[in-house]
Amino acid sequence: MKSLPLACLVFALAVPTMAAEPISPRFNADPSPHVFDGKVYVYATNDQDNSGKYWDSTDWRLFSSPDLKTWTDEGSFLSVTVFKWAKPDAKAWAPEAAFRNGKYYFYAPVGGDKIGVAVSDAPKGPFVDARTDALVDKARDANAGAEPIDPAVLIDDDGQAYLMFGTRVPKIVKLKSNMIETDGPILDIQVNGFPADDAKKKYGEAPYLHKRDGVYYFTFSTGWPGQIVYATATSPLGPYTYRGVVLDYLDISTNHQAIIDFGGQSWLFYHDSLLDGGGSYKRSITFAPLSYGEHGTIVEVKK
Ligand code: FUB
């Protein structure tokens, strides 16, 4: 075998390739992966049962895995009807979950204008509405933005919890320690340093926040279609500085990611069109190893 130049070898080792295997033969999207009790749970949008013309399913699905190799379909664990204030046909979009106070909290965009929160004693539920109204409501809350969807929660090391959400303008608000009430105003998240020569590099949707070595990593999709890019800050509230691409455009209209550590490795979860009959409304969740380079850079995940 002809030997590769050292630079090529380093590059090949640094850029992980993706398995790109769907975690389920059902269509699903918008992964919200979490490690609860040593097991990976992925809360998801249900693309199997939408009309195929829009993201109009009305329930959420759950998948679990002890090892990221075998997956169990835990089924449809919650419908929008759990929220009595929601219209029964309100669309159920990208969800989020969190664990605190011995309880599991499920954050759910309902109908595109509200975010509800449900609570359970177990990751699989049963979940009940934790309030009698929405946690975030476009009509009620100042600065909730045009479309309060795509919730993402980070509980910081000091115990302060943050909820991010929103399309086109990313939003952040503190949560009280009960995880079911906001605490203070909804703020816009500022991202500086987008490359001036790429007008497509801007915030679109799918905010996600994780922390590594004291640095806050804000990942998001740039739009429709979107790249997954990242920005970093020294405070969860920002301001953030654009750093680069995590995952390039896909052949579908949306891109939506989350990052977890499991088994001594970081993983990027996202959705793509991976099954026969797939497309922008019939997506599939998959995952790939994610690695960091020098100075905390995220190494772009290549398909
Ligand atoms: O699944 C419906 C919407 O598509 C999500 O809320 C967005 O993040 C996009 O993935």
Side-chain angles (χ1 to χ4, degrees):
M1 189 182 108
K2 199 176 162 191
S3 59
L4 288 169
L6 184 61
C8 291
L9 190 58
V10 170
F11 182 75
L13 290 174
V15 180
T17 50
M18 295 189 284
E21 291 293 327
I23 66 169
S24 163
R26 288 180 59 93
F27 295 116
N28 48 60
D30 303 325
S32 170
H34 294 271
V35 182
F36 293 141
D37 288 333
K39 208 166 166 183
V40 177
Y41 290 87
V42 179
Y43 299 82
T45 299
N46 174 10
D47 272 14
Q48 185 72 30
D49 297 325
N50 69 28
S51 60
K53 296 177 181 152
Y54 197 59
W55 304 288
D56 48 14
S57 56
T58 55
D59 62 345
W60 293 274
R61 307 279 305 191
L62 179 60
F63 302 88
S64 69
S65 174
D67 52 11
L68 297 184
K69 292 182 184 124
T70 54
W71 289 91
T72 301
D73 185 341
E74 306 282 1
S76 167
F77 70 98
L78 199 69
S79 151
V80 292
T81 54
V82 77
F83 300 112
K84 298 287 178 249
W85 42 265
K87 293 182 189 153
D89 62 347
K91 54 191 188 284
W93 282 5
E96 167 67 309
F99 176 73
R100 189 172 202 174
N101 312 324
K103 304 266 184 203
Y104 297 85
Y105 296 90
F106 181 72
Y107 299 86
V110 175
D113 60 348
K114 294 181 180 69
I115 295 172
V117 55
V119 64
S120 168
D121 290 329
K124 303 180 202 178
F127 283 90
V128 295
D129 192 352
R131 305 167 48 115
T132 53
D133 60 356
L135 172 65
V136 176
D137 184 337
K138 176 178 167 175
R140 182 193 67 201
D141 301 332
N143 201 33
E147 204 175 17
I149 62 166
D150 293 1
V153 169
L154 173 78
I155 303 174
D156 208 349
D157 301 327
D158 63 2
Q160 178 63 59
Y162 299 88
L163 172 72
M164 284 182 149
F165 60 92
T167 57
R168 293 178 179 83
V169 179
K171 306 285 181 178
I172 189 164
V173 63
K174 289 181 181 173
L175 291 177
K176 291 186 180 170
S177 59
N178 64 13
M179 301 297 279
I180 65 168
E181 290 176 273
T182 57
D183 192 4
I186 298 171
L187 305 171
D188 292 357
I189 300 170
Q190 198 182 328
V191 183
N192 301 318
F194 282 120
D197 60 351
D198 186 351
K200 290 200 247 169
K201 289 275 194 315
K202 55 182 189 256
Y203 176 80
E205 62 176 355
Y208 185 80
L209 187 59
H210 75 282
K211 188 179 185 183
R212 179 179 181 268
D213 293 342
V215 176
Y216 297 88
Y217 287 78
F218 175 32
T219 50
F220 52 90
S221 167
T222 57
W224 307 269
Q227 275 179 327
I228 299 301
V229 299
Y230 76 108
T232 57
T234 53
S235 158
L237 299 177
Y240 285 83
T241 303
Y242 176 82
R243 297 286 293 275
V245 175
V246 179
L247 179 69
D248 207 355
Y249 297 101
L250 305 172
D251 290 332
I252 55 175
S253 64
T254 65
N255 209 334
H256 193 122
Q257 82 304 332
I259 292 166
I260 59 164
D261 290 339
F262 181 74
Q265 162 76 52
S266 296
W267 300 94
L268 174 74
F269 278 74
Y270 64 103
H271 62 224
D272 199 352
S273 176
L274 298 173
L275 292 168
D276 287 349
S280 289
Y281 302 108
K282 297 288 181 185
R283 301 162 293 180
S284 299
I285 290 172
T286 187
F287 59 97
L290 181 95
S291 49
Y292 296 85
E294 268 192 86
H295 310 299
T297 52
I298 290 180
V299 178
E300 183 179 341
V301 173
K302 295 285 186 187
K303 275 188 80 176

